Structure formats: C-alpha cells, structure tokens
Amino acid sequence: MEIKKETVLIKFGEHVKKLRKELKLSQDDVVVNSDRLIKATVSDIENGKRNLSFTTLIDLAKGLGKHPKELLDFKIDLDKE
C-alpha cells in the first residue's frame, strides 16, 4: 500500500507544532533560535505544506532545541495511510 506524501507531511507538521507548544515557543522563537529559518517556512511545515530538506530539518531541530531524531519520532500507521 502506498503512503500518501500529504498524509506524512500533515502528521509531521502536527508533531512539530505539538513539540513547539510543549516547549512554550512561538514560531518567531523557533526562527530566532534557528538563525536560518523564516516564519513562513515554520508555518508551512506545521501545516503540512512543505516537504523539507535534511538541512531544513537540522535548522528546525536547532530552533526547537531538540535533536533531529526527536522531530522524526511521530506515529504514523503505515498500513492505513
């Protein structure tokens, strides 16, 4: 069964947004902490509208103060998607 790219992006974005809110960070905080991201990029990621590159993943992790593997630790049912 093929996994829809859109579904993965939405699930990832929801996970990133949840992490950010748990850390009590605004999107602006993430941008400042990352040194390289812009707010539109963070918003697009959280809304499942951006398929980010590896370097953007690293920048996002830095902005959240997390290890990149923590950003990839989200649940997705590969059998149903």
Side-chain angles (χ1 to χ4, degrees):
M1 177 176 285
E2 182 179 335
I3 301 168
K4 292 184 179 180
K5 177 177 80 170
E6 294 81 13
T7 302
V8 175
L9 294 177
I10 289 169
K11 296 281 187 183
F12 177 74
E14 290 170 350
H15 176 64
V16 168
K17 187 174 187 175
K18 181 179 175 233
L19 283 175
R20 179 178 60 76
K21 289 187 173 214
E22 286 173 357
L23 295 165
K24 297 182 176 23
L25 295 173
S26 68
Q27 289 182 346
D28 288 325
D29 293 331
V30 174
V31 168
V32 169
N33 295 343
S34 75
D35 296 326
R36 292 177 21 144
L37 295 176
I38 61 171
K39 189 173 180 179
T41 300
V42 176
S43 178
D44 284 352
I45 291 167
E46 289 186 359
N47 290 302
K49 296 179 181 176
R50 183 174 298 250
N51 190 358
L52 60 161
S53 68
F54 182 72
T55 55
T56 302
L57 176 70
I58 300 300
D59 292 337
L60 183 59
K62 180 180 178 188
L64 292 167
K66 294 286 187 179
H67 191 281
K69 70 179 180 183
E70 293 179 77
L71 274 60
L72 298 173
D73 187 18
F74 65 101
K75 294 192 186 317
I76 187 161
D77 190 342
L78 299 176
D79 294 328
K80 292 184 180 179
E81 302 305 333

